[in-house]
């Protein structure tokens, strides 16, 4: 069983910091019924110098607004107001580090699919959260399985929107894999090519080159973008193209990337060992550099950090 979210003092809801217990919504909240909502997952790290910094806040807020725009939801706050609230929620709760969840949803009022007058509501929640796929997974790698569920088709759900409803597909796939004894699932797109994991993008290394699928069916991950830039800085060729599942079977290294999962090595897929079965040198270098960047130790990437 998973662990409940660690309670903090305050939650930001519709422009106000309110006590945790009071952050409630009505059962007629439209998003609860039909799933039209958008969200973000952001991390704030305690840096080496003792300060705290939110990682790539601007890019996450831009994606939140793009997600809402795609779903025709008008967020009734400016990007500056939402960004400031993301910063404030940490200080108000005296948190040095943690996970940040902005969520925009349709409130109650009209019901039915063509509800046009319901308010767009926004909440921002922060809580302490450790490694999403476990400390052992981060260190030694995880076991994965290709899902029997297909990832989104671009004309069924909108894949550029981090939409609430898109995650039913992820939850079904995750449950299937966990119940079968694996830690994570890797999903194929409607054409049968590798798309992404249930909540992470994917990279593999083969003969000194790194490959990642295009983001047609997959979310355009912000960590994915960080990793691509890191690989370029390390002079390791990175190629974006369609990937078949058996290419993963014979990869030298395989790893997943995401705000929650950070850089998690994969040691097994469909009961086949990847490479030596241990995190490989490229994965380890990427992981090490990533933690240095998010903790403010890399002078080149200070512009990715918003200090509290
Ligand atoms: C389905 C999916 N793919 C990929 C990612 C990775 O995206 P990011 O690196 O922006 O967190 C996430 C996490 O938000 C996700 O939910």
């Amino acid at each position: 069983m998973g662990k409940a979210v660690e309670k903090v003092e305050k939650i930001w809801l519709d422009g106000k910091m309110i006590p945790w217990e009071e952050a409630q919504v009505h059962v007629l909240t439209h998003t609860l019924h039909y799933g039209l909502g958008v969200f973000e997952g952001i991390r704030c790290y305690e840096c080496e110098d003792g300060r705290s910094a939110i990682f790539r806040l601007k890019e996450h807020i831009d994606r939140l607004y793009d997600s809402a725009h795609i779903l025709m939801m008008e967020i009734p706050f400016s990007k500056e107001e939402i960004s400031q609230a993301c910063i404030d929620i940490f200080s108000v709760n005296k948190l040095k580090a943690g996970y940040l969840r902005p969520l925009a949803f349709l409130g109650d009022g009209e019901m039915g699919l063509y509800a046009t007058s319901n308010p767009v509501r926004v909440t921002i929640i922060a809580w302490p959260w450790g490694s999403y796929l476990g400390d052992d997974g981060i260190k030694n790698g995880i076991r994965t399985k290709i899902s029997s569920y297909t990832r989104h088709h671009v004309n069924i759900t909108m894949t550029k929107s981090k939409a609430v409803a898109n995650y039913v597909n992820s939850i079904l796939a995750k449950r299937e894999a966990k119940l079968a004894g694996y830690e994570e699932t890797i999903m194929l797109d409607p054409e049968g090519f590798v798309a992404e994991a249930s909540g992470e993008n994917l990279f593999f290394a083969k003969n000194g080159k790194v490959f990642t699928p295009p983001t047609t069916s997959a979310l355009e991950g912000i960590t994915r973008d960080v990793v691509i830039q890191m690989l370029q800085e390390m002079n390791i060729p990175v190629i974006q193209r369609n990937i078949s599942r058996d290419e993963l079977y014979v990869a030298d290294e395989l790893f997943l990337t995401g705000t929650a999962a950070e850089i998690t090595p994969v040691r097994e897929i469909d009961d086949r060992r990847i490479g030596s079965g241990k995190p490989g040198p490229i994965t380890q270098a990427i992981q090490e550099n990533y933690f240095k960047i998010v903790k403010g130790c890399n002078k080149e990437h200070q512009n990715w950090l918003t200090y509290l």
Side-chain angles (χ1 to χ4, degrees), residues 229-282:
Q229 291 198 48
M230 280 197 288
L231 287 164
Q232 286 164 347
E233 286 163 16
M234 291 157 73
N235 289 320
I236 296 174
V238 50
I239 297 137
Q240 299 184 48
R241 63 154 172 80
N242 285 339
I243 291 163
S244 63
R245 73 190 277 177
D246 56 1
E247 282 186 89
L248 303 186
Y249 295 165
V250 292
D252 297 333
E253 302 180 36
L254 180 57
F255 59 92
L256 306 180
T257 68
T259 299
E262 299 160 317
I263 311 295
T264 299
V266 175
R267 65 183 163 89
E268 212 178 284
I269 176 166
D270 286 349
D271 307 304
R272 291 152 176 93
R273 194 185 59 234
I274 304 292
S276 66
K278 297 204 168 68
I282 295 179

Side-chain angles (χ1 to χ4, degrees), residues 70-245:
I70 290 168
L71 299 193
M72 302 174 90
M73 295 171 71
E74 184 123 10
I75 295 179
F77 296 95
S78 67
K79 285 187 183 180
E80 291 70 32
E81 286 170 313
I82 296 294
S83 304
Q84 190 58 49
C86 287
I87 296 169
D88 294 344
I89 193 93
F90 280 96
S91 34
V92 164
N93 286 302
K94 299 180 194 68
L95 281 175
K96 297 279 289 176
Y99 193 76
L100 189 56
R101 165 57 50 80
L103 166 73
F105 59 100
L106 275 196
D108 56 296
E110 286 182 69
M111 283 298 273
L113 299 186
Y114 195 60
T116 54
S117 63
N118 299 38
V120 173
R121 305 187 62 190
V122 186
T123 185
I124 300 171
I125 314 147
W127 69 90
W129 215 13
S131 311
Y132 178 62
L133 294 169
D135 291 337
D136 183 66
I138 286 267
K139 194 159 164 256
N140 299 315
I142 57 166
R143 295 178 64 242
T144 63
K145 171 184 168 31
I146 297 282
S147 183
S148 74
Y149 296 97
T150 299
R151 199 59 177 153
H152 303 296
H153 183 282
V154 285
N155 205 28
I156 296 177
T157 54
M158 301 294 102
T159 59
K160 293 284 168 285
S161 180
K162 193 168 163 62
V164 171
N166 291 6
Y167 284 81
V168 173
N169 177 253
S170 284
I171 291 171
L172 289 173
K174 180 86 182 184
R175 286 188 172 178
E176 177 186 62
K178 289 286 280 186
L179 290 169
Y182 301 85
E183 276 106 30
E184 185 52 292
T185 183
I186 292 170
M187 306 188 71
L188 306 181
D189 70 18
E191 302 291 318
F193 293 108
V194 174
E196 60 178 339
S198 67
E200 302 87 28
N201 294 110
L202 167 150
F203 289 80
F204 79 87
K206 181 83 180 174
N207 299 328
K209 293 187 183 133
V210 172
F211 301 82
T212 191
T215 53
T216 322
S217 277
L219 186 74
E220 209 156 296
I222 291 163
T223 320
R224 177 184 184 274
D225 175 69
V226 170
V227 168
I228 290 172
Q229 291 198 48
M230 280 197 288
L231 287 164
Q232 286 164 347
E233 286 163 16
M234 291 157 73
N235 289 320
I236 296 174
V238 50
I239 297 137
Q240 299 184 48
R241 63 154 172 80
N242 285 339
I243 291 163
S244 63
R245 73 190 277 177

